[in-house]
Amino acid sequence: MQRLALRTRLKAGCEELYDSEHAAIPAELEEAMREHGVHSWRIWRDGLDLFHVVEVEDYAALQEALKDNAADQAWQAKMNRLLDGDFDKDSCGLKLVWEMR
């Protein structure tokens, strides 16, 4: 399994809209993500910065599986209008150095 840390950034003034629209993702998208190996995906926001931690079997395979998924395409279009720059789809996993038990 891969653990990835990703970062995105919101456009200024989009914080409340992002929080309200991202409170829940479409059920069919969450189902597709789980079907293609996502174990967990957490997002924290600090001001305009969004920090994602993803646990997935194979991130590249997930991207390939979702590239033609209508629910994912619609969701990405909806979220991308709020982001300052593109989502970094080439992010790689980080080696776990230490974890509090």
Side-chain angles (χ1 to χ4, degrees):
M1 178 167 43
Q2 296 177 304
R3 178 180 289 155
L4 298 109
L6 311 169
R7 181 189 158 278
T8 52
R9 187 164 173 83
L10 292 174
K11 292 178 184 174
C14 291
E15 300 93 333
E16 286 184 31
L17 183 57
Y18 176 86
D19 289 351
S20 67
E21 290 193 8
H22 211 287
I25 68 170
E28 62 271 18
L29 176 56
E30 185 172 354
E31 182 179 316
M33 291 168 60
R34 289 190 188 283
E35 179 181 316
H36 295 291
V38 174
H39 294 268
S40 68
W41 193 311
R42 294 176 180 91
I43 303 172
W44 291 268
R45 183 172 69 76
D46 182 18
L48 298 177
D49 292 310
L50 301 168
F51 301 96
H52 309 244
V53 175
V54 183
E55 292 180 334
V56 62
E57 291 301 321
D58 183 333
Y59 189 68
L62 171 68
Q63 290 176 312
E64 182 64 27
L66 293 181
K67 75 178 185 181
D68 295 326
N69 180 290
D72 184 57
Q73 289 175 348
W75 181 254
Q76 294 304 324
K78 183 177 181 178
M79 290 297 109
N80 284 342
R81 76 186 204 291
L82 305 175
L83 297 178
D84 185 12
D86 291 334
F87 185 77
D88 183 5
K89 292 191 174 191
D90 295 320
S91 295
C92 60
L94 300 177
K95 179 183 174 198
L96 180 64
V97 176
W98 180 83
E99 182 174 1
M100 182 179 279
R101 300 278 174 203

